[in-house]
C-alpha cells in the first residue's frame, strides 16, 4: 500500500521552489511536486510509482541504487554526492546538472526520503563564465607582466649599453676641448658637450626608472641626519643655482629622520634640480620642520609655478608643462615620474602647492630618527696626505672598459698627469709595484670579478693607507654603503663629467689638512656623507 504525505505536507512540498520527491526504502517515488514535472517533463502520474533512477542518466543508475541503500542504513540530512557532479535526465533524454539534498521523513511508521532537486544549469554557466573570465584576466595579466618585464629588460640593457659609449664620448670631448685652441672649434665642442650632457641625463633617468620598475631597488631604512643630506645637496647644486643668480638657501636642521637616506637624497636631487630649473629669479629653499613624530622636508622656490590644471599631470612620464625650446634639453618630463616611484617605494606622500608666477613647494614627511650618537674622532690612518702638484702627479687608473679607460687616460694626459691605465686589480698591483708610488688611484666600482672598494683596499695595503682614491660609480647608493668616512676618498657619480673629474683631482691632490677636516665635519657619522661628486645638473 502506498503511503501518501498528509495534506499539510503536500502543501509544503508544493510551495517549495525546488523539485521535491518523496522516495521510499525500495527507491520508489511516492510523491512529486509540480516542479518535478516542470524540471523533468513527466506528469505526476508518469513519475509516481516509478523507481527514482528513472530521473537519472542511465550510466549512473546502478551506482545510485547502491548509494540509496547506503543512505537508508545511515539516515541523516545531507547533500547528495558531496563533491560529485550530479545530473538529472529529462523525459526527452536530455541531461542537466543538479544539486540534491536529502532528508529522512517518518511517515506512518515508514521511513521516506525527501529529495530536493535544483537545476543548477544557470549556476554552472555563470561559474564557467567566471572561471573563463578569471582565466582570461590571468592570461592578460601574465601577458602584461611579460611585456612589462620585457620592456624593463630592454630599457635596462639599452640604457646600460648606451652608457659606456656616451661616457667615452664625454671624456673624449673634454680632452679635445683642452687640446684645441681655435674659438670656432671650441664652440663646436661646447655644443657637442651640451648634447652629450642632455643624452646622459635622459639615460640616467631611463636607468633610474628601469631599476625602480624591475624592483631592483629595495629601501634600506636607517637613521640619518637631515643636515648631512642637505649639505650634500648644497655641494651639488650651489654652482648651478649661483650660475642663474639664485639664492640657494638651506635652513639649519638638527633633526634625524628614519628612512633610506640614499633614496630620499634621490628624491631631493630631482626636486632641487627642478626648483633651480624652473626659477628665473629669487631663491630655492630647503628646510625641515618638526611635525610631531614626523619630519617634513620641503623644497620651495620662487619660480614660474605650475598651473592648477596641469598639477595632476606632472607625474606622468614625459609630461612637461611647456615644451622645451633649447636643443640641449635639460628635462624630459621624467624627474617627477622618478620622484613619484621613489615616494611610493618608501611609502611616503608627496605634497605639492604651486602658484603661477609665485613659486612651488614640494614636501614629504619622514618618520623621526633616534637621537644622534657622539661622532667618532677621525682615525689617524685616514689623515689627509700632503698636497701634490697635479702636473707631476702619478695616477693609477683601473677601468675594465677599454674605451672608457682610454678616454679617461687621454683626458688626464692632456692635463699632464702621469697615467698608468690598467683593467684589473691584478694589473693594478703589478703597476703599483713597478711604479713604487702612486699619488692618486682612480677606479671604477663595478669591475669584472672585483669591486672598486677591493681595489682601493688592496692598493692601500701596498702603498699606504692614506693613498688618495676616486671611486667612479653609476650606483652611488650601493657603492657608498658601509664606507667609513675617509678624507682621502671621493665618490664620483657616473656619467663622469670631464671638468668635474679634473676639478676633483685638483682639490683632492691639493687638499690641506684644514680643508679635509672641513669636508669631514660636514659629513661625519654617516657612510653616505663621503664627498660624493656628480656632474652639475645630474640627477643621480
Ligand atoms: P622635467 O624633466 O621636464 O623637469 P619633471 O618630471 O621633473 O620633468 O617635471 C614635469 C614638469 O613639471 C616640468 O616639465 C615642469 O613643467 C613642471 N615642474 C616641475 N617642477 C617644477 C617647479 N619646481 N616649478 C615649476 N614647474 C615645475
Amino acid at each position: 500500500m502506498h503511503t501518501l504525505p498528509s495534506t499539510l505536507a503536500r502543501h509544503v512540498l508544493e510551495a517549495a521552489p525546488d523539485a521535491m520527491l518523496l522516495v521510499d526504502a525500495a527507491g520508489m517515488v511516492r510523491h512529486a511536486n509540480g516542479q518535478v514535472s516542470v524540471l523533468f517533463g513527466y506528469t505526476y502520474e508518469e513519475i509516481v510509482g516509478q523507481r527514482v533512477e528513472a530521473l537519472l542518466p542511465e550510466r549512473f543508475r546502478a551506482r545510485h541504487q547502491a548509494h540509496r541503500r547506503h543512505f537508508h542504513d545511515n539516515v541523516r540530512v545531507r547533500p547528495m554526492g558531496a563533491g560529485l557532479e550530479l545530473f538529472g535526465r529529462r523525459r526527452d533524454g536530455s541531461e542537466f546538472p543538479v544539486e540534491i539534498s536529502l532528508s529522512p521523513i517518518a511517515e506512518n511508521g515508514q521511513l521516506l526520503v525527501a529529495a530536493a532537486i535544483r537545476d543548477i544549469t544557470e549556476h554552472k554557466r555563470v561559474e564557467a563564465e567566471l572561471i573563463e573570465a578569471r582565466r582570461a584576466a590571468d592570461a592578460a595579466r601574465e601577458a602584461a607582466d611579460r611585456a612589462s618585464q620585457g620592456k624593463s629588460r630592454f630599457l635596462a640593457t639599452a640604457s646600460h649599453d648606451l652608457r659606456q659609449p656616451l661616457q667615452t664620448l664625454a671624456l673624449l670631448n673634454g680632452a679635445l676641448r683642452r687640446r684645441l685652441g681655435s674659438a670656432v672649434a671650441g664652440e663646436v665642442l661646447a655644443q657637442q658637450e651640451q648634447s652629450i650632457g642632455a643624452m646622459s641625463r635622459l639615460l640616467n633617468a631611463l636607468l633610474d626608472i628601469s631599476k625602480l620598475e624591475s624592483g631592483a631597488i629595495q629601501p634600506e631604512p636607517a637613521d640619518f641626519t637631515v643636515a648631512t643630506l642637505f649639505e650634500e645637496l648644497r655641494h651639488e647644486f650651489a654652482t648651478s643655482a649661483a650660475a642663474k643668480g639664485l639664492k640657494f638657501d638651506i635652513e639649519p636642521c638638527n633633526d634625524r629622520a628614519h628612512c633610506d637616506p640614499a633614496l630620499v637624497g634621490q628624491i631631493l636631487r630631482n626636486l632641487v634640480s627642478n626648483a633651480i630649473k624652473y626659477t628665473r629669479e629669487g631663491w630655492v629653499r630647503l628646510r625641515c620642520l618638526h611635525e610631531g613624530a614626523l619630519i617634513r622636508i620641503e623644497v620651495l622656490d620662487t619660480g614660474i609655478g605650475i598651473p592648477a590644471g596641469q598639477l595632476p599631470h606632472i607625474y606622468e612620464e614625459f609630461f612637461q608643462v611647456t615644451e622645451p625650446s633649447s636643443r640641449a634639453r635639460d628635462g624630459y618630463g621624467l624627474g617627477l615620474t622618478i620622484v613619484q616611484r621613489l615616494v611610493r617605494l618608501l611609502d611616503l606622500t608627496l605634497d605639492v602647492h604651486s602658484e603661477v608666477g609665485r613659486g612651488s613647494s614640494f614636501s614629504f614627511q619622514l618618520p623621526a630618527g633616534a637621537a644622534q650618537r657622539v661622532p667618532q674622532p677621525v682615525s689617524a690612518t685616514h689623515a689627509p696626505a700632503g698636497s701634490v702638484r697635479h702636473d707631476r702627479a702619478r695616477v693609477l687608473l683601473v677601468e675594465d672598459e677599454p674605451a672608457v679607460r682610454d678616454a679617461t687616460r687621454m683626458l688626464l694626459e692632456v692635463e699632464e698627469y702621469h697615467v698608468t691605465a690598467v683593467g684589473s686589480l691584478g694589473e693594478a698591483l703589478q703597476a703599483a709595484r713597478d711604479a713604487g708610488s702612486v699619488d692618486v688611484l682612480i677606479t671604477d666600482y663595478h669591475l669584472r670579478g672585483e669591486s672598486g672598494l677591493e681595489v682601493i683596499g688592496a692598493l692601500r695595503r701596498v702603498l699606504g693607507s692614506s693613498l688618495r682614491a676616486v671611486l667612479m660609480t653609476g650606483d652611488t647608493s650601493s657603492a657608498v654603503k658601509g664606507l667609513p668616512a675617509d678624507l682621502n676618498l671621493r665618490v664620483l657619480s657616473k656619467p663622469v663629467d670631464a671638468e668635474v673629474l679634473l676639478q676633483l683631482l685638483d682639490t683632492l691632490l691639493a687638499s690641506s689638512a684644514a680643508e679635509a677636516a672641513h669636508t669631514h665635519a660636514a659629513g661625519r657619522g654617516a657612510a653616505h656623507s663621503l664627498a660624493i661628486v656628480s656632474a652639475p645638473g645630474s640627477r643621480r
Side-chain angles (χ1 to χ4, degrees):
M1 193 195 101
H2 286 254
T3 310
L4 287 171
S6 66
T7 316
L8 173 64
R10 260 210 300 273
H11 280 309
V12 171
L13 292 178
E14 210 50 54
D18 294 329
M20 302 288 294
L21 291 173
L22 287 183
V23 181
D24 68 16
M28 209 69 84
V29 176
R30 291 297 184 78
H31 180 68
N33 70 357
Q35 283 300 319
V36 173
S37 299
V38 173
L39 209 56
F40 289 90
Y42 292 102
T43 62
Y44 180 82
E45 289 72 23
E46 282 172 330
I47 193 65
V48 171
Q50 298 298 320
R51 283 203 186 276
V52 68
E53 278 78 22
L55 301 176
L56 264 66
E58 279 167 23
R59 63 186 183 283
F60 295 128
R61 286 179 185 169
R63 214 181 317 155
H64 186 264
Q65 283 182 13
H67 284 304
R68 188 156 47 74
R69 277 194 288 275
H70 180 71
F71 180 82
H72 271 273
D73 296 340
N74 303 270
V75 174
R76 62 194 159 89
V77 178
R78 59 170 169 152
M80 190 176 136
L84 296 177
E85 300 243 316
L86 304 177
F87 291 90
R89 181 183 186 278
R90 295 190 189 91
R91 189 172 194 269
D92 64 10
S94 60
E95 294 182 14
F96 57 100
V98 291
E99 221 168 56
I100 302 176
S101 48
L102 305 174
S103 337
I105 295 179
E107 184 83 14
N108 297 335
Q110 252 204 324
L111 186 68
L112 297 179
V113 174
I117 306 165
R118 180 171 294 176
D119 180 354
I120 55 166
T121 307
E122 183 59 15
H123 175 87
K124 285 274 177 197
R125 192 187 58 75
V126 172
E127 195 178 70
E129 269 178 21
L130 274 177
I131 290 171
E132 177 52 29
R134 210 173 298 144
R135 202 198 54 76
D138 284 351
R141 202 184 43 243
E142 272 169 30
D145 282 355
R146 265 200 309 278
S148 159
Q149 277 166 12
K151 193 184 85 181
S152 299
R153 240 194 333 271
F154 167 76
L155 201 62
T157 312
S159 310
H160 186 264
D161 289 354
L162 270 171
R163 180 174 244 166
Q164 299 296 357
L166 199 57
Q167 173 69 89
T168 309
L169 216 56
L171 293 166
L172 290 175
N173 184 278
L176 213 54
R177 238 152 93 82
R178 289 170 172 265
R179 273 260 157 91
L180 286 181
S182 119
V184 180
E187 200 184 315
V188 171
L189 285 171
Q191 295 264 358
Q192 206 178 70
E193 192 177 271
Q194 270 193 15
S195 298
I196 293 170
M199 256 167 89
S200 299
R201 282 190 292 276
L202 175 59
L203 198 59
N204 273 344
L206 292 176
L207 267 173
D208 283 348
I209 290 181
S210 73
K211 270 195 258 170
L212 283 163
E213 264 191 358
S214 69
I217 299 181
Q218 288 304 318
E220 291 186 22
D223 286 355
F224 67 94
T225 312
V226 177
T228 307
L229 196 52
F230 282 5
E231 273 318 305
E232 279 173 19
L233 294 163
R234 188 202 297 282
H235 263 93
E236 242 172 89
F237 291 99
T239 320
S240 48
K244 287 190 77 178
L246 302 175
K247 186 163 182 253
F248 188 25
D249 189 14
I250 299 188
E251 292 190 2
C253 172
N254 297 321
D255 292 312
R256 281 168 66 76
H258 184 82
C259 196
D260 184 313
L263 299 182
V264 172
Q266 205 179 341
I267 294 176
L268 288 174
R269 270 180 196 98
N270 281 288
L271 295 178
V272 172
S273 150
N274 273 352
I276 294 173
K277 205 167 19 167
Y278 299 108
T279 302
R280 294 199 190 101
E281 54 185 357
W283 44 257
V284 168
R285 183 171 297 150
L286 253 180
R287 70 173 177 191
C288 73
L289 306 166
H290 220 109
E291 294 180 349
L294 299 169
I295 314 284
R296 178 174 292 280
I297 300 193
E298 284 187 325
V299 180
L300 310 154
D301 66 57
T302 54
I304 59 172
I306 304 166
Q310 309 274 26
L311 270 180
H313 305 294
I314 57 176
Y315 307 106
E316 291 166 13
E317 289 167 20
F318 297 106
F319 177 85
Q320 296 186 292
V321 174
T322 47
E323 279 300 310
S325 51
S326 125
R327 243 182 319 150
R329 296 162 55 156
D330 56 1
Y332 289 88
L334 291 173
L336 290 180
T337 305
I338 295 169
V339 166
Q340 199 191 32
R341 284 165 202 241
L342 285 164
V343 158
R344 276 204 210 120
L345 182 67
L346 295 171
D347 210 10
L348 307 174
T349 311
L350 189 68
D351 293 313
V352 186
H353 298 281
S354 193
E355 219 180 300
V356 173
R358 294 186 69 92
S360 311
S361 89
F362 288 79
S363 72
F364 52 88
Q365 289 178 315
L366 300 176
Q372 179 150 31
R373 287 169 291 130
V374 180
Q376 295 302 305
V378 183
S379 129
T381 56
H382 288 149
S387 99
V388 180
R389 272 183 47 119
H390 92 237
D391 56 356
R392 283 203 296 270
R394 282 146 306 186
V395 177
L396 177 56
L397 170 67
V398 191
E399 166 65 68
D400 58 355
E401 284 293 330
V404 179
R405 183 169 67 231
D406 286 345
T408 314
R409 180 180 51 75
M410 283 184 227
L411 173 73
L412 296 175
E413 283 176 351
V414 170
E415 285 298 288
E416 297 181 3
Y417 285 99
H418 295 286
V419 186
T420 308
V422 297
S424 67
L425 172 58
E427 289 170 18
L429 285 169
Q430 189 54 51
R433 278 187 213 107
D434 293 348
S437 78
V438 167
D439 295 309
V440 61
L441 165 71
I442 303 177
T443 176
D444 189 23
Y445 176 63
H446 280 296
L447 294 163
R448 260 168 234 121
E450 54 234 350
S451 94
L453 293 177
E454 287 167 336
V455 172
I456 295 170
L459 282 153
R460 280 184 170 172
R461 279 192 289 282
V462 174
L463 297 169
S465 59
S466 59
L467 171 68
R468 294 176 176 87
V470 178
L471 185 66
M472 300 193 292
T473 175
D475 185 5
T476 316
S477 48
S478 29
V480 298
K481 254 166 213 154
L483 274 184
D486 181 337
L487 307 183
N488 294 319
L489 177 61
R490 298 287 188 277
V491 179
L492 190 55
S493 292
K494 279 184 173 182
V496 173
D497 180 277
E499 293 301 320
V500 173
L501 171 63
L502 293 175
Q503 242 173 44
L504 175 95
L505 284 177
D506 246 2
T507 44
L508 186 60
L509 286 168
S511 63
S512 66
E515 188 191 339
H518 171 78
T519 314
H520 184 71
R524 76 185 141 209
H528 70 273
S529 65
L530 275 157
I532 299 168
V533 187
S534 43
S538 155
R539 304 191 112 136
R540 302 189 70 72

